[in-house]
Amino acid sequence: MMAKKTTTGNSLVDAYIRELELALTGCDPRERAETIVAVQSHLDQALSADASDGETKRVLLELGSPADIAGAMTPAPQMETNGRKPSDPFALTALVTSILSMVILIPFFYFAIPLALGTLVAAGFHLKAAQANKPLTRAAIVVSALVLAVALVVGLTLVAVGDPIADMPAPAVPLEP
Amino acid sequence: MTDNPESLLIQLRKGVLEYCVLAQLCAGPAYGLELAQRLARHRALFASAGTLYPLLSRLKRQGRVETYWEESSSGPPRQYYKLSKAGHLALEAFRSAWGPFSKDVQTVLEESS
């Protein structure tokens, strides 16, 4: 019966596999495990258990360097597995800040305006970033723009209404005594 | 961006190579070393045998390729790769896109030369 001999114990092969394992860290975990098994299997098939160093080196050269193999792997594993939902703390913060500016618009009018303006500008720049969560960032832009629009209307109304009110008692004062 | 032939080939292989692997499996299942030896004949496509395995791993994760182990009479068990139904469909889609694509590239290059 034929023994199921493998290259395990061949120091050149072992070193190559170790280097490959290292080169593939950060790749998609399932593809990584699969690739290492497949490369090990390739070497088991291509080399006899008692292959010489020269023969081993030739087969490893044909296979290419671990870095070359790593170059052909799926580069961004989280992006690939999570699809379009990588967490984007910046966009989330922007959305929370824009909502906060809306909440404090009435009680803290003068704090809400710079907060909404800052959020609008920051989210606007962030939208151009490749890893940005676009819907979340757009939501932050819409909310902060809305807050600014409301603030503008309220501000203009106060100016328009405030002046006559301030002026009104003025003539009443000298008339009274 | 450098324009030396090797870096050009790296760019060109992207998006094409995995379909060439699917095409190789179209005729029937094959184990890794067998597939690597077959593809090694096409040097412009495969610079080194090792790059085949990341492709096969990706194709398996995408469900386009299935694997199974089989005993070998002459050594350790072999992992065979087999085209799945999704793999067949993907290859068909590629075939119908590649025909007009390569024809257009050829025509454009000939017109400008």
Side-chain angles (χ1 to χ4, degrees), chain B residues 57-66 83-87:
Chain B
S57 305
R58 190 175 313 145
L59 289 169
K60 185 181 175 182
R61 187 172 57 75
Q62 291 168 340
R64 293 174 171 183
V65 157
E66 290 160 0
L83 212 56
S84 70
K85 192 155 185 268

Side-chain angles (χ1 to χ4, degrees), chain A residues 20-171:
Chain A
L20 182 66
E21 282 171 343
L22 242 131
L24 300 190
T25 43
C27 299
D28 183 287
R30 278 173 302 171
E31 284 184 24
R32 179 178 183 265
E34 191 72 37
T35 301
I36 292 167
V37 168
V39 169
Q40 178 74 64
S41 173
H42 175 106
L43 292 168
D44 287 346
Q45 301 293 331
L47 290 165
S48 60
D50 50 2
S52 67
D53 278 3
E55 175 69 357
T56 308
K57 279 180 188 162
R58 189 188 61 78
V59 170
L60 290 178
L61 199 70
E62 273 175 11
L63 202 53
S65 73
D68 283 343
I69 297 181
M73 295 289 288
T74 301
Q78 305 100 312
M79 296 287 266
E80 189 72 19
T81 45
N82 297 348
R84 291 274 326 137
K85 286 182 280 180
S87 67
D88 183 357
F90 190 96
L92 196 65
T93 311
L95 185 61
V96 170
T97 317
S98 61
I99 293 171
L100 185 71
S101 70
M102 187 188 259
V103 172
I104 65 168
L105 182 62
I106 301 302
F108 305 103
F109 190 74
Y110 291 108
F111 286 110
I113 293 173
L115 193 64
L117 196 63
T119 307
L120 184 68
V121 172
F125 278 112
H126 184 63
L127 199 60
K128 288 178 188 150
Q131 78 285 10
N133 184 327
K134 302 269 194 266
L136 215 57
T137 314
R138 280 200 196 100
I141 290 175
V142 168
V143 173
S144 47
L146 203 69
V147 169
L148 287 174
V150 171
L152 190 70
V153 171
V154 170
L156 287 176
T157 314
L158 278 182
V159 168
V161 176
D163 280 345
I165 288 174
D167 290 345
M168 212 139 12

Side-chain angles (χ1 to χ4, degrees), chain B residues 1-112:
Chain B
M1 283 285 120
T2 49
D3 284 335
N4 69 63
E6 190 48 42
S7 63
L8 265 176
L9 282 175
I10 290 172
Q11 291 299 317
L12 289 173
R13 285 178 196 134
K14 284 178 184 161
V16 176
L17 220 49
E18 57 193 79
Y19 294 98
C20 295
V21 174
L22 292 181
Q24 284 289 318
L25 289 172
C26 199
Y31 61 97
L33 182 64
E34 185 184 7
L35 209 51
Q37 284 167 344
R38 259 195 258 160
L39 289 164
R41 291 187 305 228
H42 312 288
R43 300 304 296 177
L45 273 175
F46 274 89
S48 60
T51 50
L52 166 68
Y53 297 108
L55 283 181
L56 285 169
S57 305
R58 190 175 313 145
L59 289 169
K60 185 181 175 182
R61 187 172 57 75
Q62 291 168 340
R64 293 174 171 183
V65 157
E66 290 160 0
T67 59
Y68 60 91
W69 288 89
E70 208 167 272
E71 292 292 328
S72 154
S73 57
S74 59
R78 291 164 172 168
Q79 180 168 229
Y80 278 81
Y81 297 88
K82 174 178 175 279
L83 212 56
S84 70
K85 192 155 185 268
H88 275 288
L89 290 173
L91 181 59
E92 276 322 300
F94 181 77
R95 274 192 215 276
S96 54
W98 180 254
F101 179 83
S102 59
K103 216 165 121 187
D104 277 3
V105 172
Q106 196 63 38
T107 311
V108 167
L109 289 179
E110 277 165 10
E111 276 172 3
S112 61

